[in-house]
Amino acid sequence: MERIEQFVMAYGVEQDRVRALLPEGYESLRPVLRINAEIRDEARAYLEFNAPVAHRGRRGWLNLGHWQSPTLRFCREKGGVLLTAPFLRLFYRGVGIAGGCPAEKDNEGCFFPGEAPDFRPAEQITVPKEFCDCEFAWSFHPGDARGVSIGKTLPAFLEEVRQTYPRLPLTAENAAAIPCRQVLGAYIVRFDRENDAAGLRAGPEERS
């Protein structure tokens, strides 16, 4: 059994820029990128960077990169949690307002191209979430995406194709270079995970 503190944050981006990263057979669903972070047993940190897609008749999230301790570190300060890596700074702080259980439509699981298994079913979480404030900054390269929440949850809708960008490799670095329009929402959820439960899991090696 692991004690999990999970933070989920989504931010809006230009959808055509996301489309330029997707491999053959993947369809972009919304103009969104998502960061999922976890603190496990108050000892280890894990983070995923994902985009919403449809693929092989399933709708879920495409993994752009994932990292874990010791590359990813965390500390508690100023009433919140700071997660850092050489390429990321992420701070979040709960605001004490509870919401429903984290249930997302179109989320059957997460695709991990090139790994085994390459699709991992979504974890079922049945405890309420707590909304939070957050701020983030990618720093693979100067000018990478950064943003700050504005205290409310905003929607994101499918955008029609307006511009065709040159194809780019599916990497976290390329996704992090897409400017953040606005943080759309963030929450924290705390729960116990069975050791063999499906959900956020690092692969055999960290990927970026």
Side-chain angles (χ1 to χ4, degrees), residues 122-137:
E123 187 170 28
Q124 300 302 310
I125 300 173
T126 58
V127 296
K129 60 191 176 185
E130 178 187 0
F131 294 103
C132 63
D133 294 327
C134 70
E135 59 183 84
F136 79 99

Side-chain angles (χ1 to χ4, degrees), residues 173-191:
E173 291 93 331
N174 285 333
I178 302 173
C180 168
R181 291 172 169 170
Q182 178 61 60
V183 173
L184 302 175
Y187 65 83
I188 307 167
V189 61
R190 302 172 179 90
F191 61 97

Side-chain angles (χ1 to χ4, degrees), residues 7 35-39 44-47 66-77 80-92 135-140 206:
F7 164 68
I35 297 173
N36 284 22
E38 289 188 353
I39 296 172
R44 305 177 308 282
Y46 174 70
L47 183 140
H66 53 269
W67 307 269
Q68 56 192 326
S69 302
T71 300
L72 184 67
R73 302 175 181 274
F74 75 93
C75 66
R76 298 187 183 275
E77 62 175 42
V81 176
L82 175 67
L83 291 117
T84 58
F87 45 80
L88 175 68
R89 183 184 187 278
L90 172 64
F91 179 77
Y92 64 95
E135 59 183 84
F136 79 99
W138 292 106
S139 55
F140 289 107
E206 294 182 352

Side-chain angles (χ1 to χ4, degrees), residues 9-15 18 30-34 136 145-147 154-157 159 175 178-185:
M9 183 271 283
Y11 64 96
V13 295
E14 182 183 351
Q15 193 165 2
V18 177
R30 295 181 297 283
V32 170
L33 294 174
R34 185 181 77 171
F136 79 99
R146 60 183 58 224
L154 304 172
F157 303 105
E159 296 177 347
I178 302 173
C180 168
R181 291 172 169 170
Q182 178 61 60
V183 173
L184 302 175

